[in-house]
Amino acid sequence: MDHSENQAHHAPPLKMFIATFSFLLVMLWLTVAVSYVNLGPLNNVVAMTIAVAKMMAVILYFMGVKAGSKLVWFWAAAGFIWFLLMFFTLGDYMFRPNVVGW
Amino acid sequence: MGVHTAHNAESSDHAAVSHQFEDIGQQNEIYIVGMWTFLVTEIMFFGVLFFAYVLYRWKFGDVFYEAHKVLNVRLGFINTTVLLTSSLFMALGVRSAMLKNRKMTLFWLISVIVCAFAFMVIKYFEYSAKIAAHEIPGPFFQWHGPGSAGQAEIFFSLYFAMTGLHGIHVLIGIITLGILAWMVAVKHKAVDDYMPIEMFGLYWHFVDIVWIFLFPLFYLMPHG
């Protein structure tokens, strides 16, 4: 790959950043609005889905992972996969008899 | 001003490629992968706190719900907006650095500093109100709401630990941004290339992502 004569050609379009920012603001308003509606346990699901959507927008566009190489994709994914794996240990807490006290 | 040796002449367009790399593309990719590796350790750092939060909220959901009412949703909302805006400015700063527009790079970096500072000021007012109301965990903790004071104290422990660790990251961000802005202002050769600013941008966006989760988890807690 010898097309990297100068770095300027990598610069992403301005419109992409404005679109990402608008999406983030709309999602922020949405998450606040939904929090005032009682959906029962669905409230948690909606709030976290919106947060994950915002996170993906930041990672893919602001952090440039979408335009990044496979190796960058891999590293970006690795951290979050580890994070999800950690939550498997919740299973232990769920099936343990309740500890008295605290 | 410096004395350029002949073999450096062609690299005046971009930062010199270190000898262990094939070309500038590979060097830049490795910089970014290195930064992501650091961010993976940051995910682990914050991750355990998020785990503790999930565990205790699951156990003490009712008291957590009562305790979360103390937090000011309006200030949290403003701070989220400020941080998202700072992320936009950061992305624009990196873009300006890529385009070698030094003036605009400096402008956006300073804009990010202003946002980060505004975030810390709002956080200061939130913290002071809670400290004044004896809602900081420790010997002076008082809880007048319904439910166990011990459980409410755990909520505030998590609140201060997680937003505090996040705040420390914002503070480190402000210091680093100050150094980067100064380097851009004095045309330091380390920032001839956009990579240092790009790498800091990754850090800054990560700090933004942490807040994206902290805001709904602490300020917008649903009942039950």
Side-chain angles (χ1 to χ4, degrees):
Chain A
M1 285 292 179
D2 256 337
H3 57 37
S4 48
E5 285 293 312
N6 71 78
Q7 306 147 17
H9 75 285
H10 283 308
L14 202 59
K15 242 179 18 191
M16 187 191 87
F17 290 131
I18 305 295
T20 307
F21 180 61
S22 311
F23 173 78
L24 289 171
L25 283 189
V26 170
M27 285 294 122
L28 171 61
W29 290 327
L30 189 66
T31 197
V32 174
V34 170
S35 76
Y36 289 104
V37 184
N38 192 350
L39 301 172
L42 266 183
N43 271 112
N44 283 321
V45 179
V46 173
M48 284 303 102
T49 306
I50 291 174
V52 169
K54 285 163 82 182
M55 176 183 82
M56 291 311 288
V58 172
I59 290 177
L60 291 177
Y61 299 102
F62 279 175
M63 298 172 94
V65 168
K66 191 166 190 287
S69 67
K70 284 275 183 294
L71 193 59
V72 175
W73 268 95
F74 174 79
W75 273 113
F80 294 98
I81 290 170
W82 176 87
F83 183 65
L84 288 177
L85 280 178
M86 184 177 60
F87 276 83
F88 279 89
T89 59
L90 268 181
D92 179 57
Y93 291 98
M94 279 177 185
F95 299 111
R96 223 169 244 260
N98 221 353
V99 180
V100 190
W102 296 1
Chain B
M1 259 115 284
V3 182
H4 283 273
T5 48
H7 72 278
N8 266 343
E10 67 163 341
S11 62
S12 60
D13 224 24
H14 47 63
V17 179
S18 298
H19 64 88
Q20 69 268 37
F21 298 118
E22 298 275 332
D23 54 36
I24 187 75
Q26 190 196 30
Q27 177 170 299
N28 285 351
E29 185 190 14
I30 295 311
Y31 281 168
I32 290 173
V33 167
M35 196 60 201
W36 266 104
T37 309
F38 166 66
L39 293 184
V40 169
T41 71
E42 287 276 85
I43 294 169
M44 295 177 180
F45 194 10
F46 279 100
V48 286
L49 286 168
F50 277 101
F51 184 84
Y53 170 90
V54 169
L55 192 59
Y56 282 114
R57 179 165 151 195
W58 174 55
K59 276 189 97 68
F60 307 138
D62 292 335
V63 176
F64 267 41
Y65 177 75
E66 293 302 326
H68 106 284
K69 290 177 180 168
V70 167
L71 302 181
N72 188 327
V73 178
R74 192 137 57 108
L75 289 182
F77 175 81
I78 293 170
N79 252 354
T80 312
T81 311
V82 166
L83 223 49
L84 291 177
T85 309
S86 80
S87 253
L88 172 69
F89 291 166
M90 191 64 232
L92 294 178
V94 173
R95 184 173 179 275
S96 298
M98 282 178 176
L99 296 171
K100 300 201 168 293
N101 187 337
R102 206 174 60 88
K103 284 219 169 74
M104 286 315 284
T105 306
L106 191 57
F107 172 78
W108 292 124
L109 288 182
I110 290 170
S111 304
V112 179
I113 295 177
V114 171
C115 285
F117 194 72
F119 179 90
M120 292 307 281
V121 169
I122 292 173
K123 210 77 215 133
Y124 166 79
F125 284 118
E126 283 191 84
Y127 276 8
S128 332
K130 267 155 214 66
I131 291 164
H134 295 284
E135 282 152 359
I136 187 159
F140 306 110
F141 183 79
Q142 288 171 19
W143 178 242
H144 306 294
S148 147
Q151 294 180 14
E153 197 171 3
I154 289 178
F155 172 86
F156 286 106
S157 287
L158 286 167
Y159 168 78
F160 279 105
M162 293 173 83
T163 60
L165 184 63
H166 178 268
I168 289 170
H169 278 76
V170 174
L171 213 60
I172 293 169
I174 292 175
I175 294 166
T176 317
L177 274 165
I179 296 169
L180 277 176
W182 171 78
M183 287 171 101
V184 172
V186 301
K187 301 186 185 177
H188 195 288
K189 67 177 164 54
V191 289
D192 276 350
D193 184 45
Y194 75 96
M195 262 301 139
I197 295 166
E198 161 92 39
M199 284 194 288
F200 176 79
L202 292 178
Y203 168 84
W204 191 252
H205 295 310
F206 173 80
V207 174
D208 189 25
I209 288 173
V210 172
W211 186 261
I212 283 174
F213 283 92
L214 290 180
F215 176 60
L217 286 178
F218 280 104
Y219 291 79
L220 305 175
M221 201 180 287
H223 197 12

